[in-house]
């Protein structure tokens, strides 16, 4: 049958045109921008100016430290919780399944701006619901929005609330691909539920957990809306993340070159973490 | 598990309650736990502060246009990757999928320079929607779904003399409609909740999307918190209701690309 050889390209072209213009080219242009001095006009090629600054910039270092701190605390807590939830929701013994699904998956549809607003009220220092509950339990109030460590904890709690159910959905989908006969066989061999979890569930879930891990790490490296709207990066710079710092440099100071360098630093971190994760957990994944 | 589930629902329940009580009650002890009758007053505050109905309309328009265009582009491209053999297929597909792991912050500056400065598209729906269309989220998902169609069906149509576009639009596309519904829901939700990009592109209050309008209120010192909660409720509750009825589609959209069947 005679077919026009250009037909496949015509199907691909509309998407590819937008892709090249708004993703492929920007990736390259951003790299070039990171070598430009964009503080004055015209922009000039000054290879060392942004990358040199990044190495010695205390604000960048603080943003990096905050982002990594959130990452290293939040992602393990969230994925452990999500795995537990997924296993629980997958259990045939569970009653009220519909209620639990709704409770944990509902945050998936809530936008960052809406829940940031809600969390700001809940964690209000004076009479926010959380502090009212704490005093009710005889504990001291916490100045969530104006003290450095509590502000960081607040961001971690907010992100965990929003994304745990999302990850649980992904892990649950993986669990449903695990053949039931494996558990039957293990039961005959006398394995208890805990042994079944470590011996069957976890090893078979490894590829999907790795997927969730990589996504979560990339997402956390780009944390922006929550610290931007809940704490404004403060108090001081206690919740300044790389995302918020990039926004400040790029769109408050309009220093596109330096902001691009920060963007590439985020990408380098993403690559680095992905490699580490593949190395540690990948093997056959 | 029940206490944890209740804890998880608490922020949403309190959002609902706070949107219906007078401002002073939000910060009273004990915290109000039952909805009041102040929703309309709070809504009036919100509307006065932001013209929120207009921003909701902007959000509907932007998300709707984006979803339709994105479904069209990703399904056409996914179909090409799944159903045609052509020079460069493997390389282009790998390139497109690889960008899924590239942080958005790498491209946002050039996107801004391009859209706002070169094309002068600030304060327009086009400016908000265009770069979003380049997302590769749907490509893999649509390709997988087109791969699962029986070749004989498409060949039969070809023997009958149908053109390639006719085969795509009248045979292939209807067969993957439930996959498209799943993807469509996720695309709509992504655009609906997007904050950073519309914040950069929209500078006129009447063009704001709902998240941008609400975010602006959060930055002010003298605000009606009840009004902000009404905004959060209006942005969220329709999707919570949809989620109750269309869970299957939400879940399919979220796991798109995560689990290989």
């Amino acid at each position: 049958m005679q077919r026009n050889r250009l037909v496949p390209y015509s199907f691909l072209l509309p998407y590819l045109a937008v892709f090249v213009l708004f993703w492929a080219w920007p990736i390259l242009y951003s790299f070039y921008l990171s070598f430009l001095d964009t503080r004055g006009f015209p922009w000039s090629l000054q290879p060392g100016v942004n990358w040199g600054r990044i190495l010695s910039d205390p604000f960048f270092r603080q943003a990096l430290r905050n982002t990594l701190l959130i990452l290293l605390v939040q992602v393990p807590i969230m994925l452990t919780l999500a795995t537990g939830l997924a296993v629980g929701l997958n259990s045939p013994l569970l009653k009220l399944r519909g209620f639990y699904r709704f409770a944990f998956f509902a945050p998936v549809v809530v936008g960052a701006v809406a829940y940031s607003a809600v969390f700001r009220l809940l964690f209000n220092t004076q009479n926010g619901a959380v502090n009212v509950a704490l005093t009710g339990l005889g504990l001291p109030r916490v100045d969530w929005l104006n003290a450095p460590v509590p502000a960081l904890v607040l961001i971690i709690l907010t992100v965990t609330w929003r994304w745990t159910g999302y990850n649980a959905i992904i892990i649950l989908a993986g669990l449903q691909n695990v053949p039931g006969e494996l558990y039957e066989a293990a039961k005959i061999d006398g394995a208890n539920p805990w042994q079944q979890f470590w011996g069957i569930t976890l090893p078979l879930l490894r590829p999907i957990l790795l997927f969730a891990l990589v996504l979560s790490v990339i997402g956390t490296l780009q944390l922006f809306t929550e610290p931007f709207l809940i704490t404004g990066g403060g108090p001081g710079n206690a919740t300044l993340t790389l995302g918020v710092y990039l926004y400040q440099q790029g769109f408050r100071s309009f220093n596109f070159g330096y902001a691009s360098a920060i963007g590439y630093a985020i990408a380098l971190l993403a690559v680095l973490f992905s490699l580490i994760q593949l190395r540690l957990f990948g093997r056959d994944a | 598990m029940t206490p944890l589930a209740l804890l998880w629902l608490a922020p949403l329940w309190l959002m609902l309650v706070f949107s219906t009580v007078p401002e002073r009650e939000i910060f009273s002890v004990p915290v109000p736990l039952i909805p009041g009758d102040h929703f309309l007053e709070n809504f009036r505050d919100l509307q006065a502060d932001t013209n929120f109905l207009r921003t909701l309309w902007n959000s509907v328009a932007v998300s709707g246009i984006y979803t339709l265009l994105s479904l069209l582009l990703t399904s056409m491209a996914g179909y090409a990757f799944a159903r045609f053999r052509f020079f460069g297929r493997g390389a282009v597909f790998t390139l497109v999928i690889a960008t899924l792991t590239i942080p958005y912050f790498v491209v946002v500056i050039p996107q801004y320079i391009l859209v706002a400065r070169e094309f002068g598209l600030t304060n327009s729906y086009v400016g908000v929607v265009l770069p979003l269309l380049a997302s590769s989220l749907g490509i893999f998902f649509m390709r997988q779904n087109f791969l699962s169609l029986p070749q004989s069906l498409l060949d039969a149509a070809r023997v009958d003399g149908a053109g390639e576009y006719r085969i795509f639009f009248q045979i292939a596309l209807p067969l993957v409609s439930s996959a498209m519904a799943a993807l469509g829901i996720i695309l709509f939700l992504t655009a609906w909740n997007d904050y950073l990009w519309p914040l950069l592109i929209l500078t006129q209050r009447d063009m704001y999307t709902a998240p941008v309008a609400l975010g602006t209120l959060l930055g002010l010192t003298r605000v009606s918190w009840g009004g902000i909660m009404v905004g959060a409720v209006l942005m969220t509750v329709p999707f919570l209701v949809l989620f109750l009825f269309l869970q299957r589609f939400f879940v399919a959209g979220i796991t798109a690309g995560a689990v290989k069947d």
Side-chain angles (χ1 to χ4, degrees), chain A residues 5-257:
Chain A
R5 298 181 55 183
L6 292 178
V7 164
Y9 297 104
S10 73
F11 273 89
L12 201 56
L13 198 67
Y15 172 77
L16 217 53
V18 209
F19 176 78
V20 168
L21 194 58
F22 291 107
W23 263 93
W25 182 78
I27 291 172
L28 301 175
Y29 188 60
S30 193
F31 187 67
Y32 172 65
L33 266 177
S34 75
F35 295 101
L36 297 189
D37 184 352
T38 57
R39 284 171 304 182
F41 194 82
W43 297 348
S44 61
L45 194 63
Q46 299 263 350
V49 69
N50 298 315
W51 290 104
R53 180 175 170 190
I54 245 182
L55 295 176
S56 61
D57 180 356
F59 296 108
F60 176 81
R61 210 170 300 156
Q62 170 100 42
L64 179 66
R65 199 171 57 212
N66 293 338
T67 307
L68 293 181
L69 202 62
I70 294 171
L71 183 92
L72 293 177
V73 175
Q74 195 268 332
V75 174
I77 292 177
M78 176 178 68
L79 289 184
T80 309
L81 202 55
T83 309
L85 280 181
V87 171
L89 287 168
N90 199 38
S91 159
L93 300 173
L94 186 75
K95 301 210 169 62
L96 295 174
R97 188 184 309 267
F99 166 69
Y100 289 120
R101 270 176 181 264
F102 183 73
F104 293 112
F105 295 171
V108 166
V109 303
V110 185
V113 176
Y115 70 78
S116 292
V118 177
F119 273 76
R120 233 170 93 164
L121 281 183
L122 297 180
F123 286 82
N124 180 277
T125 303
Q126 258 59 50
N127 286 320
V130 174
N131 273 350
V132 170
L134 285 179
T135 42
L137 294 168
L139 298 165
R141 282 165 202 270
V142 177
D143 195 354
W144 297 103
L145 297 172
N146 304 307
V149 177
L152 216 50
V153 173
L154 169 55
I155 300 296
I156 288 173
L157 288 174
T158 311
V159 176
T160 306
W161 179 80
R162 169 61 177 79
W163 291 97
T164 299
Y166 180 90
N167 284 287
I169 290 178
I170 292 176
I171 296 168
L172 188 57
L175 273 178
Q176 282 161 355
N177 281 2
V178 176
E181 304 93 70
L182 286 177
Y183 294 104
E184 298 300 324
K187 256 181 243 162
I188 292 168
D189 290 342
N192 64 36
W194 193 241
Q195 287 168 328
Q196 289 174 31
F197 176 75
W198 284 103
I200 301 172
T201 312
L202 218 48
L204 286 173
L205 272 185
R206 210 171 56 201
I208 207 92
L209 282 174
L210 181 70
F211 177 82
L213 182 64
V214 171
L215 278 194
S216 302
V217 166
I218 294 173
T220 310
L221 284 175
Q222 306 192 71
L223 196 60
F224 167 74
T225 310
E226 295 85 347
F228 186 68
L229 288 179
I230 299 179
T231 53
N237 285 313
T239 56
L240 181 74
T241 59
L242 292 173
V244 173
Y245 192 47
L246 182 142
Y247 174 85
Q248 289 176 353
Q249 286 300 323
F251 302 105
R252 291 258 171 85
S253 313
F254 288 100
N255 188 351
F256 292 139

Side-chain angles (χ1 to χ4, degrees), chain A residues 98-107 118-119 122 161, chain B residues 2-16 240:
Chain A
F99 166 69
Y100 289 120
R101 270 176 181 264
F102 183 73
F104 293 112
F105 295 171
V118 177
F119 273 76
L122 297 180
W161 179 80
Chain B
T2 308
L4 192 62
L6 291 175
L7 198 65
W8 232 257
L9 281 177
L12 292 177
W13 179 250
L14 288 172
M15 168 180 86
L16 219 58
L240 287 173

Side-chain angles (χ1 to χ4, degrees), chain B residues 33-90:
Chain B
L33 294 174
I34 299 158
D37 56 5
H38 223 69
F39 187 84
L40 284 177
E41 286 85 344
N42 287 336
F43 174 75
R44 243 169 262 146
D45 286 344
L46 175 71
Q47 185 60 21
D49 284 341
T50 61
N51 193 1
F52 200 71
L53 287 180
R54 166 75 207 225
T55 70
L56 275 180
W57 165 247
N58 291 335
S59 279
V60 170
V62 161
S63 314
I65 297 169
Y66 165 68
T67 304
L68 291 178
L69 283 178
S70 188
L71 280 178
L72 180 69
L73 296 195
T74 53
S75 61
M76 281 175 71
Y79 184 74
F81 284 128
R83 284 296 170 184
F84 293 117
R85 308 190 57 110
F86 54 90
F87 177 76
R89 182 178 70 164

